[in-house]
Amino acid sequence: MATLIKTTQDGRKLEVVGLAIMLGGRLEASELIEVKDHPYRRAIRAMVPEATHMAGRVPLTREEAEIVLAAFNKAQADMLGNRLAIHERFRIAAMTKAREQGIE
């Protein structure tokens, strides 16, 4: 189930689906980055002073970031109760580690 965060100025919906942040139906990010830790923090603060977090290319206010984090927590709790979801997360983690080590 998708959780709507906001609609961008161009009409695309920013939603949380599981542990992914989707923009217009496409993956935008899988985590939030605080503006203070972002490499382009000065430019972000100049353009969007009320932004506290970034979801990929999309700036978020504190309230929007809290909605994202709550949706992530709910999705994670749902996954921890599902054996197939746990298996899938381990499979993806193993594939990622193998790729990092050059094993494909």
Side-chain angles (χ1 to χ4, degrees):
M1 184 165 105
T3 303
L4 179 66
I5 305 305
K6 70 178 184 177
T7 303
T8 61
Q9 290 178 345
D10 62 358
R12 293 181 290 172
K13 292 181 180 182
L14 185 72
E15 301 173 308
V16 175
V17 179
L19 294 175
I21 301 170
M22 310 291 279
L23 178 62
R26 294 188 166 204
L27 179 65
E28 181 64 26
S30 58
E31 64 182 354
L32 292 180
I33 299 175
E34 287 190 56
V35 171
K36 69 179 179 93
D37 297 330
H38 199 281
Y40 298 115
R41 63 185 157 270
R42 288 187 182 136
I44 295 167
R45 287 184 178 141
M47 296 299 294
V48 191
E50 68 274 3
T52 60
H53 291 77
M54 294 294 292
R57 302 168 288 168
V58 183
L60 300 174
T61 63
R62 178 156 317 279
E63 294 79 22
E64 293 164 343
E66 288 172 359
I67 295 169
V68 170
L69 293 173
F72 277 173
N73 289 337
K74 183 181 180 322
Q76 194 166 28
D78 291 346
M79 282 187 189
L80 290 175
N82 184 337
R83 291 182 56 187
L84 291 175
I86 292 170
H87 177 70
E88 181 66 10
R89 286 183 72 186
F90 275 115
R91 187 185 71 77
I92 291 169
M95 287 175 37
T96 303
K97 182 147 179 88
R99 261 190 237 115
E100 288 173 357
Q101 295 175 349
I103 304 168
E104 293 192 28

